[in-house]
Amino acid sequence: MSGGTQLDNENPQIFQRSGERLWTAEDEDEDIADPIDDREIFDLIRSINDPEHPLSLEDLNVVEQMRVHVSDPESTVTVEFTPTIPHCSMATLIGLSIKVKLLRSLPSRFKIDVHITPGTHASEDAVNKQLADKERVAAALENAQLLEVVNQCLASKLPANLMP
Amino acid sequence: MAANSVLLGLVEEFVSGQQDSKASETATGVKTGQFTVLELVEALGLSLTSSQAQTRGRGVQLLSLVLQECYASLSEREVEVLVAFYENRLKDHYAITPYVLQGIKALTKCPKLPPGLSVSILKSLFQDVHVQSLMLKERSCVYTILLNLMESQEEELKGLGADFVFGFVQAMDGERDPRNLLLAFQIAGNIVHRGYELGKFTEELFEVTSCYFPIDFTPPPSDPHGITQEDLILSLRTVLTGTPRFAEYLLPLIIEKVDSDVQSAKLDSLQTLTACTTLYTHKDLAEFLTGLWTSLRREVFQTASEKVEAASLSALTALTACLSRSVRHSDSEDGLEVFLDLVLRDCQHHLCEPDLKLVWPSAKLLQAAAGASYRASRKIAASVVPLLLEQYSTRTQCAQRRTLLEVVQGFVQPAQNSLPGDGEESILSGFQQPLCSLVFSALSESNTGLRVIASRVLTALGQQPGLLLPSDVELAADHLTRLVLEEDEPQICSAVMDCSCALARLYPDAFASKMIPKLKGEIFSEPMVQDDGSTPAQTQSRQAVRQRCVAALAVMSSKPSVVQESAPILLEVLSSAHAGSGLFSLEEVVSTCHSLQRVAAQAQDTEETGRFFHDIIIPRLLGLALQAALQGEREGAQQSPLTEEAVLSALVPVMSTACSRLQSQMAALTASRAVSLFLDGDVSFLPENDFPSPLQLLKKQSEAWRRSQLVCLLMACVCSMPRSVEIPQIDRLFEELEELSCTSPHPFSYTAAAKCFAGLVNKRPGGDQLDSVLERMMKRISSELDCASSSFRVQAFTLLLWVAKALLIRYHPLSTALTDKLFSLLPDPELADAAAEGFSLLLSDPADVLNRECHADVRIMYRQRFFTENSAKLFQGFYSADKGRKPGYLKALSHIVNHLPRQVQLTELPALLPLLLEALSSPDRRVQLSTLSCLHPVLMDPPPALTPQVDGLVSHLLKLTTSPGMAVRIASLRCLHALSRLPEHMILPFRARVIRALAKALDDRKRLVRKEAVEARGEWFLVGCPGR
């Protein structure tokens, strides 16, 4: 690891990746409409890069498919994410990255709710409040530095399979 | 004297007149013998002794230039004098040195260098020249001199001892130019590899080269010299890893550089480590093993990039292999043992940590070390496998068990180097029993992942001799049968199929006797409920089970003994379907044909299987098809599925695969049988030959399409034979096929007849016979096509297309006439569409005929050739056609370009782009798709010609993202994604528009489309933003 800067969590636990979605014949069929499902949302966010490690949020188990819920007819998405340690200072940034990724990748009809898995972070309420506030999210993205970090998290540069 | 005055004139003009061209004239003079080198030196006399440094320089330059041209013709004596002269000139004014060096360089290339001269040249060079204060070109000159001498005077140079090394070290110390570095590294490499004495300068030589390690070099933008970082890295690596004497310096350096922050430095260090172990022995490594291990372990545990991890693992393997090779001394301890103890100590305990946190990196390290040699794998397996077995039995969570099983798989899968030698038993033979029971218990678990991994482990166990006892093989067959019958999870199915395939290859008899009968029983078992009481879901699941059984039969069939059991079952399915058992749906019959083809393709190429196919499979298939056709013609009789086009089309590859693999004698027999069946109705070789006569399969009869379509089987048979096989009655065959293809009203029949005709034409040797057949056919086609009222124009066109294809791919001279005919049909009101589509066929490889598997005569690069010969015609046709006819040309063009190799596409692009853009706006979905698919690779690596077209391209592509066709939407989104990689200034103006337009695609009804839309839109968001 590059020396000098202090990392919040120097030795995070690494988890197995779930692999690419298997495409079925129904996905290829023109006549069947596929509703947006949990896995699809999970696929959107699982490859987001962690701000401090060269790992994805899935590797670190920050996001899990069972914590993603979507309802296509009601146009709602709920994502819970779990910071690796309860004092993680990156929680807001991770939440923001997830939120921005979903904003960019989902139709505008969806109402997007991103929050911390209950009981996994010291300042859970504060972070959740920030993430739920539309104007604060918009203001955060006006900040070029913050936008740069978020974009780096969303950039697709890590290889798809780091672990077997 | 005349020659001399000429020479004097030349010298004068060069030296005082500053005319450089005179040098080559002088050289020509010397070469043709007009004057000698001696005369030249005499003529130069005054200039060489002039008091003006510039004049002296000019004089030496002329001499050097001449010597460069004619060094080969110098005598020993001349060389000696010249060398003495040049050595002396090295002491002269610095402005002259460049020319002196050029002269020496020319002389060192001289084949007749007298003994002792090279040493003297080197001495003066090292003494009088300070290399690093010379200019780039002169430094390169010095290195070339050294290289030349090393090539020709190796013995003498070695006689210089360590002085040579010292001189070289001084010469290259501080070199900065990559071009010269390549030369210097080459010299250093020669020193190290060819056994020059390093003496006390070993460390100096190492220092002066290793100061460049790891190399960090970015070539200048236009890259004028073509030197890459890779070249430098590799040539430096050859030097550093070339001798074990560098070990004590190199290994600490590697340990230091692996810790670097720069990934390329890490990689380079690790690869250098891997490279140096080939020469090192335990003695060289011993001191640094702990340090090296710590670095490697750290890199794998903190895996940041796959590349670094892979490089670390292969370095570990190389290191272990090196230690395993080293001879063991009785007095010292075994280096391998000590090192492996270290590895085990650091990794083993991670395998039993409660959270299994570092289990993967540890397992990879252990496996990398074990993969190095038999001895290493034996030691590691002895400590790790029992541990894993115990862990597996104590863990209860599926995910953990799965991880452990995957680790076990890694240990069971043997690496090439650690295979047991003769007389050694498999490293796992001690654990044979517990491993087998572990696998079988995992196969009976309900967890999908666990079963998949278990079947992989089973495959791996089977590959190693002695790890599966006969009773285990039978048990494995039982388990696999059970899984085939019960499991519908696609992942497990494919794992089970792979496992059955591998094991049936190794234990054919066990599988033929255990698994195949059970599968057969399942395929033909009657449904439980006799009447129509079963629900559709039940029928469907029964169908799925049968499909899996059929597929399993196919994958297992590679050994003759299995094929002879499985293929008859598949045939039985076909005949049962034909007999109207109602047990099998049409899709099942088709998929049975596919399975049969798989059997034919993967069955081992032995005399035995060949005979089996020849004697049993091919006649029975033909017989079945014929019976089906005749039965269908009877009034009121039930229609057999074997008259369906889908089934016949699936049978064609079965026949052609089987026929293309027959030995020549059997191939000839099969061909003559097939021909006499189709021409004369000779049914004597068919299994049941109670057919009415005459059969007249190729004759056109009003209601005989069931018979005439069988011509596709004739095609499969005779068109897939090796070219050496003589087809009997070929002329009659040509006549009847032509007749059928031109007059049959049944599309499948006339197409198959045309294909058969084309397939035969392709393989006929050129000559009058072939020409007359073609001439007759051309005449007939032309008259049909030219007559607008003819009802057989489509038929004639089909024949034309296929024969054109057959001739085009073998470069037959007549092919141009045929393709021109196709071009002339592009404005045709009736056939334009078909003709345009035809170009796609013309340049693609058909699946069933005229491809290399069918032994067709296919020349390489026929597509390029076709394009270069015809693109002008196409462009011209397009521009001169009136509006309504243009789409035909666009379609043809888009098909042709789509099939061209990418390299050709790129060079032709500037001319093609406007046309392709026009093709994008065509309403035909196939044209859109074909154009998009040839645009996509172009956009991945955009040429400058694209710049003015970006605006139009974006608009067209955005419009296509709402196309009704899913494939078009996907392809256009991919193109838009590729566009986002263009330079920012070109695409920034479109950012807002693209992002807005793509929002709609995010809500597409198809998931695959949404996936592409998300990727494309995400990239466009980053355009012109910080953090990209």
Side-chain angles (χ1 to χ4, degrees):
Chain A
M1 288 288 119
S2 51
T5 49
Q6 192 67 43
L7 299 182
D8 262 5
N9 184 0
E10 285 192 333
N11 184 15
Q13 185 166 3
I14 299 171
F15 292 80
Q16 177 112 33
R17 292 190 177 178
S18 48
E20 293 295 305
R21 182 184 192 127
L22 291 172
W23 297 106
T24 61
E26 280 174 27
D27 289 313
E28 314 276 351
D29 190 338
E30 297 253 15
D31 302 328
I32 301 173
D34 319 316
I36 296 178
D37 61 8
D38 292 353
R39 173 68 208 238
E40 192 174 335
I41 302 291
F42 180 62
D43 276 336
L44 291 176
I45 56 174
R46 71 191 182 100
S47 55
I48 297 177
N49 306 324
D50 182 78
E52 55 174 32
H53 298 284
L55 296 165
S56 70
L57 294 187
E58 185 188 15
D59 292 331
L60 298 169
N61 229 24
V62 173
V63 293
E64 294 163 275
Q65 192 178 338
M66 52 176 277
R67 303 200 182 282
V68 173
H69 301 287
V70 62
S71 162
D72 198 5
E74 291 165 27
S75 301
T76 53
V77 179
T78 317
V79 174
E80 291 179 348
F81 67 99
T82 319
T84 50
I85 48 170
H87 298 284
C88 185
S89 61
M90 298 287 169
T92 324
L93 184 56
I94 294 175
L96 188 62
S97 302
I98 298 175
K99 183 123 189 179
V100 171
K101 175 76 187 184
L102 293 178
L103 281 172
R104 288 180 183 176
S105 314
L106 285 177
S108 51
R109 63 187 164 93
F110 275 89
K111 179 174 173 357
I112 298 163
D113 175 23
V114 176
H115 60 262
I116 294 181
T117 315
T120 59
H121 196 268
S123 42
E124 190 183 318
D125 289 340
V127 175
N128 287 348
K129 203 171 166 194
Q130 282 189 350
L131 290 173
D133 190 335
K134 260 188 198 166
E135 272 150 32
R136 288 178 78 165
V137 170
L141 294 179
E142 299 281 313
N143 177 337
Q145 262 180 335
L146 201 51
L147 182 62
E148 179 175 354
V149 183
V150 169
N151 279 345
Q152 276 164 357
C153 291
L154 300 186
S156 51
K157 57 187 168 202
L158 271 186
N161 290 309
L162 199 63
M163 303 289 284
Chain B
M1 248 14 242
N4 259 349
S5 61
V6 173
L7 184 58
L8 277 174
L10 284 172
V11 169
E12 180 63 25
E13 278 171 58
F14 185 86
V15 176
S16 329
Q18 303 284 331
Q19 293 189 33
D20 288 346
S21 61
K22 297 299 165 196
S24 59
E25 282 178 36
T26 321
T28 325
V30 174
K31 256 195 267 180
T32 52
Q34 202 182 346
F35 20 81
T36 64
V37 177
L38 181 66
E39 283 165 341
L40 172 64
V41 174
E42 278 171 358
L44 275 170
L46 275 180
S47 350
L48 293 179
T49 53
S50 156
S51 59
Q52 292 286 315
Q54 205 200 348
T55 316
R56 288 204 306 280
R58 226 26 212 174
V60 176
Q61 189 183 5
L62 177 59
L63 184 57
S64 298
L65 286 173
V66 172
L67 287 181
Q68 268 174 16
E69 297 275 325
C70 41
Y71 57 85
S73 57
L74 295 176
S75 72
E76 272 194 38
R77 179 73 196 133
E78 283 169 330
V79 174
E80 213 166 313
V81 174
L82 284 169
V83 166
F85 166 72
Y86 273 115
E87 278 177 21
N88 186 264
R89 284 302 92 193
L90 277 176
K91 298 189 173 67
D92 200 346
H93 195 268
Y94 70 89
I96 301 175
T97 314
Y99 310 123
V100 176
L101 288 173
Q102 278 171 16
I104 298 184
K105 184 169 100 178
L107 288 172
T108 52
K109 274 190 267 183
C110 176
K112 282 182 251 159
L113 206 59
L117 271 192
S118 50
V119 171
S120 117
I121 292 178
L122 283 178
K123 278 193 173 151
S124 352
L125 207 58
F126 290 150
Q127 200 179 335
D128 297 325
V129 183
H130 183 244
V131 178
Q132 289 309 317
S133 51
L134 297 173
M135 299 298 282
L136 186 145
K137 254 178 110 178
E138 282 73 60
R139 297 202 304 271
S140 143
C141 218
V142 174
Y143 298 128
T144 320
I145 292 172
L146 293 184
L147 277 174
N148 287 345
L149 291 177
M150 286 182 115
E151 282 312 315
S152 55
Q153 311 287 327
E154 191 172 321
E155 285 312 309
E156 283 195 32
L157 260 53
K158 281 184 180 165
L160 264 175
D163 288 349
F164 176 65
V165 177
F166 181 63
F168 166 67
V169 166
Q170 281 198 316
M172 87 159 281
D173 193 1
E175 180 60 65
R176 292 185 59 84
D177 187 82
R179 283 162 283 176
N180 285 341
L181 275 178
L182 276 184
L183 294 175
F185 290 155
Q186 200 186 341
I187 300 173
N190 287 350
I191 292 179
V192 168
H193 286 279
R194 297 188 184 167
Y196 285 80
E197 192 190 324
L198 297 179
K200 51 183 188 267
F201 299 113
T202 313
E203 190 171 359
E204 275 75 11
L205 183 62
F206 179 78
E207 285 300 327
V208 83
T209 45
S210 68
C211 62
Y212 302 100
F213 180 84
I215 281 179
D216 182 19
F217 168 63
T218 322
S222 57
D223 196 15
H225 315 294
I227 295 180
T228 62
Q229 176 164 11
E230 196 63 20
D231 297 335
L232 287 166
I233 287 180
L234 289 180
S235 60
L236 177 59
R237 190 174 295 158
T238 349
V239 179
L240 295 182
T241 61
T243 169
R245 297 189 57 186
F246 283 163
E248 55 177 315
Y249 315 112
L250 178 62
L251 293 174
L253 184 67
I254 287 181
I255 295 177
E256 182 194 326
K257 296 297 180 192
V258 167
D259 203 13
S260 156
D261 280 339
V262 186
Q263 190 185 329
S264 67
K266 266 188 211 285
L267 275 178
D268 191 4
S269 313
L270 290 166
Q271 284 160 355
T272 308
L273 177 60
T274 313
C276 70
T277 51
T278 47
L279 282 181
Y280 288 8
T281 59
H282 173 232
K283 196 162 66 53
D284 306 312
L285 291 168
E287 202 183 321
F288 306 100
L289 278 178
T290 327
L292 286 171
W293 163 243
T294 317
S295 302
L296 292 176
R297 190 190 52 183
R298 186 192 57 226
E299 289 312 314
V300 175
F301 275 4
Q302 301 183 354
T303 173
S305 109
E306 250 178 304
K307 275 190 194 157
V308 173
E309 189 195 66
S312 312
L313 291 175
S314 50
L316 178 60
T317 310
L319 212 55
T320 318
C322 171
L323 291 173
S324 324
R325 265 199 316 272
S326 298
V327 185
R328 228 177 117 176
H329 296 291
S330 52
D331 51 342
S332 65
E333 49 195 346
D334 184 357
L336 179 67
E337 287 281 324
V338 177
F339 183 65
L340 290 181
D341 280 334
L342 199 64
V343 175
L344 282 169
R345 192 197 69 203
D346 283 345
C347 291
Q348 206 170 14
H349 65 96
H350 287 304
L351 300 182
C352 13
E353 296 282 339
D355 52 359
L356 290 177
K357 193 163 147 184
L358 286 169
V359 69
W360 266 117
S362 308
K364 280 183 186 169
L365 282 168
L366 287 169
Q367 281 158 11
S373 69
Y374 176 68
R375 234 168 13 115
S377 63
R378 195 176 175 89
K379 178 166 169 75
I380 289 181
S383 4
V384 173
V385 174
L387 203 70
L388 288 171
L389 290 171
E390 186 202 316
Q391 283 290 311
Y392 184 84
S393 61
T394 53
R395 305 276 175 167
T396 45
Q397 281 184 32
C398 278
Q400 292 181 334
R401 285 187 149 194
R402 187 185 142 165
T403 309
L404 287 166
L405 201 58
E406 274 180 287
V407 175
V408 170
Q409 187 202 351
F411 282 104
V412 174
Q413 207 100 52
Q416 199 53 45
N417 294 325
S418 59
L419 288 177
D422 291 332
E424 294 170 324
E425 55 182 3
S426 164
I427 46 163
L428 295 171
S429 51
F431 310 108
Q432 189 267 334
Q433 211 43 57
L435 274 176
C436 285
S437 51
L438 171 81
V439 169
F440 292 135
S441 88
L443 279 176
S444 338
E445 295 274 350
S446 59
N447 181 284
T448 313
L450 217 48
R451 285 180 174 192
V452 171
I453 308 294
S455 54
R456 288 198 201 130
V457 181
L458 181 60
T459 316
L461 280 176
Q463 311 285 343
Q464 298 197 52
L467 288 189
L468 282 187
L469 302 178
S471 59
D472 294 323
V473 175
E474 289 191 6
L475 203 54
D478 285 342
H479 273 285
L480 290 173
T481 316
R482 179 178 56 81
L483 288 176
V484 168
L485 298 184
E486 288 172 5
E487 246 345 297
D488 53 1
E489 190 78 29
Q491 259 182 305
I492 303 187
C493 284
S494 79
V496 166
M497 293 295 169
D498 292 345
C499 183
S500 315
C501 175
L503 291 184
R505 193 179 288 268
L506 295 161
Y507 310 99
D509 296 330
F511 275 77
S513 62
K514 284 292 277 189
M515 197 161 166
I516 290 183
K518 282 198 191 142
L519 295 181
K520 179 180 179 184
E522 186 61 30
I523 292 174
F524 292 105
S525 70
E526 294 290 326
M528 299 298 250
V529 190
Q530 287 297 324
D531 51 315
D532 285 334
S534 57
T535 61
Q538 275 171 323
T539 334
Q540 220 167 33
S541 83
R542 277 201 46 77
Q543 264 190 22
V545 173
R546 279 204 302 261
Q547 294 253 20
R548 285 203 298 275
C549 293
V550 168
L553 282 180
V555 296
M556 287 194 291
S557 311
S558 51
K559 292 281 181 185
S561 59
V562 180
V563 174
Q564 290 183 3
E565 294 293 325
S566 64
I569 301 178
L570 297 179
L571 277 179
E572 214 170 306
V573 171
L574 293 185
S575 51
S576 144
H578 163 67
S581 67
L583 211 52
F584 304 100
S585 68
L586 189 62
E587 295 95 77
E588 285 183 89
V589 177
V590 171
S591 85
T592 308
C593 294
H594 291 319
S595 300
L596 208 50
Q597 189 213 348
R598 188 167 172 169
V599 175
Q602 71 177 13
Q604 269 185 342
D605 238 343
T606 59
E607 174 88 29
E608 203 182 345
T609 38
R611 185 157 295 284
F612 179 67
F613 273 98
H614 172 262
D615 290 348
I616 311 224
I617 307 285
I618 296 173
R620 278 187 64 183
L621 282 179
L622 279 173
L624 269 178
L626 194 52
Q627 273 176 356
L630 297 177
Q631 179 187 321
E633 280 171 16
R634 265 176 254 132
E635 288 282 330
Q638 196 189 9
Q639 287 299 326
S640 159
L642 270 77
T643 55
E644 297 284 343
E645 270 178 35
V647 177
L648 280 175
S649 308
L651 273 179
V652 167
V654 181
M655 291 281 279
S656 65
T657 315
C659 289
S660 66
R661 303 185 63 180
L662 287 178
Q663 276 91 350
S664 57
Q665 215 181 349
M666 284 188 270
L669 190 56
T670 305
S672 74
R673 280 170 171 183
V675 171
S676 61
L677 169 68
F678 278 86
L679 286 181
D680 311 320
D682 175 8
V683 294
S684 55
F685 76 101
L686 298 181
E688 296 151 65
N689 39 23
D690 53 342
F691 298 102
S693 60
L695 276 171
Q696 293 196 317
L697 292 171
L698 295 181
K699 290 281 180 277
K700 189 189 81 160
Q701 291 155 339
S702 53
E703 257 307 294
W705 58 268
R706 288 189 190 80
R707 282 190 210 188
S708 65
Q709 67 180 359
L710 291 181
V711 71
C712 69
L713 296 180
L714 175 68
M715 170 197 81
C717 217
V718 295
C719 293
S720 56
M721 298 288 177
R723 257 175 273 167
S724 55
V725 173
E726 184 68 24
I727 310 289
Q729 307 192 56
I730 185 85
D731 288 320
R732 218 180 117 204
L733 203 55
F734 272 134
E735 265 169 55
E736 300 217 0
L737 285 171
E738 185 188 313
E739 181 65 28
L740 182 65
S741 69
C742 286
T743 56
S744 167
H746 184 234
F748 188 73
S749 301
Y750 68 70
T751 313
K755 282 175 170 180
C756 187
F757 188 91
L760 290 172
V761 161
N762 177 267
K763 286 185 196 170
R764 288 294 288 169
D768 293 343
Q769 218 180 357
L770 181 64
D771 288 346
S772 68
V773 169
L774 291 174
E775 205 178 318
R776 194 182 61 211
M777 179 212 78
M778 271 301 276
K779 213 177 277 169
R780 177 151 187 183
I781 289 179
S782 299
S783 68
E784 293 283 2
L785 286 177
D786 293 343
C787 163
S789 59
S790 162
S791 52
F792 294 120
R793 289 191 79 210
V794 182
Q795 280 86 333
F797 165 76
T798 311
L799 183 61
L800 169 69
L801 181 63
W802 281 99
V803 176
K805 164 93 192 158
L807 296 181
L808 174 72
I809 58 176
R810 67 176 268 195
Y811 286 3
H812 192 279
L814 261 178
S815 69
T816 329
L818 294 175
T819 47
D820 282 349
K821 189 89 195 156
L822 283 176
F823 278 113
S824 73
L825 289 175
L826 278 177
D828 186 282
E830 189 190 2
L831 292 171
D833 207 42
E837 287 296 331
F839 284 95
S840 165
L841 186 140
L842 212 53
L843 295 187
S844 61
D845 283 325
D848 45 1
V849 71
L850 292 176
N851 54 31
R852 289 199 170 83
E853 288 75 53
C854 294
H855 307 287
D857 187 356
V858 184
R859 302 295 177 84
I860 52 168
M861 307 221 281
Y862 72 88
R863 297 186 177 91
Q864 286 93 310
R865 193 174 132 134
F866 178 76
F867 181 78
T868 28
E869 280 176 3
N870 294 299
S871 55
K873 276 178 224 166
L874 205 55
F875 290 154
Q876 206 184 357
F878 172 76
Y879 288 118
S880 61
D882 41 299
K883 201 134 180 59
R885 306 267 175 263
K886 280 190 197 255
Y889 284 97
L890 276 182
K891 199 176 193 179
L893 179 76
S894 142
H895 285 319
I896 294 172
V897 174
N898 202 11
H899 284 104
L900 284 180
R902 182 162 153 60
Q903 223 46 47
V904 185
Q905 276 183 4
L906 277 185
T907 48
E908 300 296 338
L909 198 76
L912 291 175
L913 256 182
L915 277 159
L916 287 180
L917 287 184
E918 198 146 345
L920 277 186
S921 48
S922 134
D924 187 326
R925 231 184 274 174
R926 284 199 46 174
V927 177
Q928 290 169 358
L929 197 58
S930 153
T931 315
L932 285 171
S933 65
C934 66
L935 265 177
H936 185 251
V938 173
L939 294 179
M940 298 296 279
D941 186 9
L946 196 67
T947 320
Q949 311 282 359
V950 174
D951 195 358
L953 196 56
V954 170
S955 314
H956 282 307
L957 289 174
L958 286 179
K959 205 181 293 161
L960 289 179
T961 58
T962 53
S963 148
M966 164 179 168
V968 175
R969 296 203 298 274
I970 291 179
S972 61
L973 286 167
R974 281 195 184 142
C975 287
L976 279 166
H977 186 175
L979 270 182
S980 73
R981 293 196 196 102
L982 259 54
E984 224 155 67
H985 65 272
M986 279 165 67
I987 50 169
L988 196 55
F990 308 106
R991 180 174 182 264
R993 186 166 141 214
V994 173
I995 290 177
R996 209 172 332 116
L998 288 187
K1000 208 173 158 209
L1002 292 178
D1003 213 2
D1004 199 278
R1005 57 204 289 269
K1006 295 306 297 176
R1007 191 170 288 134
L1008 283 165
V1009 181
R1010 292 198 296 263
K1011 179 169 166 278
E1012 300 296 336
V1014 165
E1015 280 170 21
R1017 194 164 186 253
E1019 284 303 314
W1020 274 92
F1021 258 108
L1022 298 181
V1023 170
C1025 266
R1028 195 183 184 193

